[in-house]
Amino acid sequence: MSQSRLKYVSLGVLVLQTTSLVLTMRYSRTLLGEGPRYLASSAVVSAELLKILTCLLLVFYDHSFSVRALNRVLNEEILNKPMETLKLAIPSGIYTLQNNLLYVALSNLDAATYQVTYQLKILTTALFSVSMLGKRLGLYQWLSLLILMTGIALVQWPTESLGGPSSTPLSAGSQLVGVIAVLIACFSSGFAGVYFEKILKETKQSVWVRNIQLGLFGLVFGLIGVFVYDGERVRESGVFQGYNSLTWTVVALQALGGLVIAAVIKYADNILKGFATSLSIILSTLISYFWLKDFDPTSVFFLGAMLVIAATFLYGYEGKRPAISHSKV
């Protein structure tokens, strides 16, 4: 495939993955069905396990499907370098928290509001990049961050419900919970992404090996979360209670999402990444309104969303923007 075609294929993959993860997660958390709903903490653990297995397969592929070579890499890079591996405990713990928060957010916010608000991670990543990596931002970047904050403030601007009393009592409290979850996830995403980037630059390990290390810690932290927060429900109905094909789709999208971005990032430039984000926001808005029917857009929301989309493009316009975690979502 030519380089230009790969760019557009990567754009399509990025849009599809981002949009489908948000929408399927939202749908799976609001769908009314028989029996207990699946545990978000359990889904996070399942995603980590699937990510580890996928990364092992990719390392296996990189070494020409040699079991001996795979065993050597795992011993040399993980078991024989305990201090290097331990460095990843911090971002892994934060990513586990972040992944749980995203389920909380999408249980309480419609997909469109979530998508736009989550772009605040551009601001947090930029600030952590400046403070931790010593990166310098240009005029366009600082301007875009101001536009971004304005846009997100407009999206969260309180509006009176036009649909009558049907959804108002519940949505006010639950929307606040959702927004707080997104804001904490944005800060955790920014810090963990920059911390992980710093580690990647200091060592020569492959991104797949690093993801295996992240996944192992994520699995441990995730299991602790399952038994601390959902231990009683697990004892009653099991870890995989409420799982169905939709749940496994969410797990697969969450596990493979970061890996897709890691593979795609070498072909897509900043403008394309901004374009992918913008398309994903527009698609999420349309599908939330026409299919999920859980979103009633206002003119203030549209103005805010347009500002966020403009800020995303502007941020990638001059120089290199700090990387938002290439390995996780």
Side-chain angles (χ1 to χ4, degrees):
M1 291 177 80
S2 67
Q3 193 75 8
S4 62
R5 189 179 294 178
L6 275 170
K7 272 190 177 185
Y8 292 105
V9 168
S10 66
L11 169 70
V13 169
L14 206 51
V15 171
L16 185 65
Q17 188 275 330
T18 308
T19 310
S20 55
L21 174 60
V22 170
L23 291 169
T24 52
M25 194 183 284
R26 169 66 180 169
Y27 186 60
S28 70
R29 298 307 288 169
T30 54
L31 184 67
L32 296 173
E34 293 181 9
R37 180 173 292 161
Y38 73 92
L39 304 174
S41 57
S42 161
V44 169
V45 169
S46 299
E48 289 296 342
L49 193 55
L50 183 56
K51 188 188 77 173
I52 292 169
L53 293 173
T54 306
C55 286
L56 282 170
L57 195 61
L58 288 165
V59 174
F60 194 38
Y61 170 78
D62 283 345
H63 291 82
S64 307
F65 298 105
S66 166
V67 175
R68 184 176 295 176
L70 174 66
N71 188 47
R72 179 178 53 78
V73 168
L74 295 179
N75 275 304
E76 286 179 4
E77 301 296 342
I78 299 177
L79 297 177
N80 295 341
K81 294 182 181 176
M83 294 312 295
E84 287 293 315
T85 302
L86 273 173
K87 282 182 184 177
L88 289 168
I90 295 172
S92 180
I94 295 171
Y95 278 135
T96 306
L97 169 68
Q98 177 192 326
N99 288 334
N100 278 285
L101 284 170
L102 296 188
Y103 280 98
V104 174
L106 280 163
S107 298
N108 295 284
L109 290 176
D110 60 82
T113 304
Y114 163 83
Q115 276 276 66
V116 177
T117 309
Y118 195 45
Q119 297 316 306
L120 193 64
K121 66 184 178 180
I122 296 173
L123 171 65
T124 59
T125 302
L127 295 178
F128 282 120
S129 293
V130 169
S131 59
M132 291 170 65
L133 300 178
K135 289 193 176 181
R136 296 173 65 87
L137 300 182
L139 175 64
Y140 288 112
Q141 278 74 44
W142 287 115
L143 183 60
S144 72
L145 294 178
L146 285 173
I147 295 171
L148 179 75
M149 286 190 291
T150 306
I152 288 172
L154 287 174
V155 165
Q156 295 301 333
W157 196 265
T159 54
E160 289 186 12
S161 175
L162 301 175
S166 58
S167 60
T168 323
L170 169 65
S171 66
S174 64
Q175 184 161 14
L176 179 62
V177 171
V179 170
I180 291 171
V182 174
L183 293 179
I184 298 172
C186 285
F187 276 94
S188 64
S189 172
F191 176 77
V194 172
Y195 187 98
F196 188 57
E197 182 184 349
K198 189 174 164 70
I199 290 173
L200 281 177
K201 287 185 173 176
E202 288 173 354
T203 59
K204 306 241 179 198
Q205 284 179 323
S206 80
V207 74
W208 309 131
V209 171
R210 283 303 194 191
N211 269 282
I212 292 170
Q213 292 169 312
L214 274 176
L216 289 171
F217 282 115
L219 197 59
V220 173
F221 290 131
L223 284 169
I224 291 170
V226 169
F227 291 104
V228 167
Y229 295 108
D230 296 310
E232 194 174 324
R233 279 184 281 180
V234 168
R235 282 189 289 274
E236 284 175 9
S237 308
V239 175
F240 298 109
Q241 59 181 282
Y243 271 55
N244 53 30
S245 56
L246 183 63
T247 312
W248 285 113
T249 302
V250 172
V251 166
L253 285 168
Q254 190 172 28
L256 304 180
L259 304 180
V260 166
I261 292 171
V264 157
I265 217 78
K266 59 199 257 193
Y267 302 113
D269 56 25
N270 286 321
I271 305 299
L272 270 181
K273 282 187 282 177
F275 190 48
T277 300
S278 306
L279 274 178
S280 185
I281 288 171
I282 293 164
L283 277 174
S284 296
T285 303
L286 291 173
I287 295 172
S288 281
Y289 181 67
F290 289 109
W291 181 42
L292 297 180
K293 299 185 187 301
D294 62 353
F295 176 60
D296 189 13
T298 63
S299 55
V300 176
F301 176 90
F302 276 119
L303 177 59
M306 289 301 106
L307 286 175
V308 169
I309 288 170
T312 306
F313 274 104
L314 187 60
Y315 193 72
Y317 182 72
E318 181 185 70
K320 292 185 178 179
R321 70 189 257 193
I324 297 171
S325 178
H326 298 336
S327 56
K328 282 265 221 184
V329 176

